[in-house]
Amino acid sequence: MDWDLLLRLAHIMGAVVLMGTGAGIAFFMVIVQRSRDPKLIAHVAGIVVLADTLFTATAAIAQPITGALLAWSLGWSLWESWIVVAIGLYLFVGIFWLPVVWIQIRLRDLAQQAADQGEPLPEAYHRLYRIWFAFGWPAFAAMIAIFWVMLARPNFW
């Protein structure tokens, strides 16, 4: 068995899961938001929280592990400039992703409370949704930048 190939596959699959789940979650949250139906939003947000827990969190933990093992296996220093930049971008994504997880849980709970009470979504829900939406853009852009850095492996310094 080719250890390097297995590590590359695991690292690529982790990146695919992170980007794919993130894009899917964003799509479903944006689409369901347009319904303004608290019951439907609570249901979809519950699935989103589950998907983030099962897929995104697992891949987010696996990525640095597979990346470090891969670098070690290939003889690359973790201090090579492109690796340092990729790690920095990854941490940047995490700065936006961690609050988003909490926000998604709150959005689900606020929508469920509104559905249970037969009321429209409260202003707190709309405020949190706007923050959730805004946080997605820099995280998504940083993920694209990570892909570029990992493929091009430029010498930044």
Side-chain angles (χ1 to χ4, degrees):
M1 177 172 283
D2 186 341
W3 179 247
D4 293 343
L5 184 60
L6 187 61
L7 282 172
R8 286 176 195 247
L9 178 63
H11 199 62
I12 289 169
M13 292 304 299
V16 167
V17 168
L18 282 173
M19 191 66 151
T21 304
I25 283 171
F27 174 79
F28 287 114
M29 286 295 288
V30 168
I31 294 302
V32 77
Q33 167 68 18
R34 297 178 67 196
S35 76
R36 302 264 189 218
D37 179 345
K39 185 176 180 179
L40 184 58
I41 290 170
H43 177 73
V44 171
I47 294 169
V48 161
V49 168
L50 179 62
D52 241 355
T53 302
L54 293 176
F55 301 113
T56 311
T58 303
I61 292 166
Q63 278 307 96
I65 295 167
T66 60
L69 289 172
L70 186 58
W72 175 74
S73 178
L74 296 172
W76 293 334
S77 166
L78 293 180
W79 296 108
E80 292 194 37
S81 65
W82 66 272
I83 294 176
V84 171
V85 169
I87 292 169
L89 287 165
Y90 191 76
L91 293 172
F92 178 82
V93 170
I95 288 169
F96 285 93
W97 178 68
L98 289 172
V100 159
V101 172
W102 176 83
I103 291 171
Q104 288 170 174
I105 292 167
R106 286 292 299 140
L107 292 173
R108 177 200 63 196
D109 294 349
L110 288 168
Q112 188 62 57
Q113 289 171 359
D116 290 346
Q117 296 169 359
E119 295 180 1
L121 296 165
E123 181 51 40
Y125 173 91
H126 296 293
R127 185 180 71 256
L128 282 172
Y129 176 81
R130 288 189 296 273
I131 294 167
W132 175 87
F133 187 84
F135 274 27
W137 291 104
F140 184 77
M143 286 296 294
I144 300 269
I146 291 170
F147 285 131
W148 179 83
V149 167
M150 298 300 287
L151 291 170
R153 296 194 307 253
N155 187 9
F156 288 104
W157 53 82

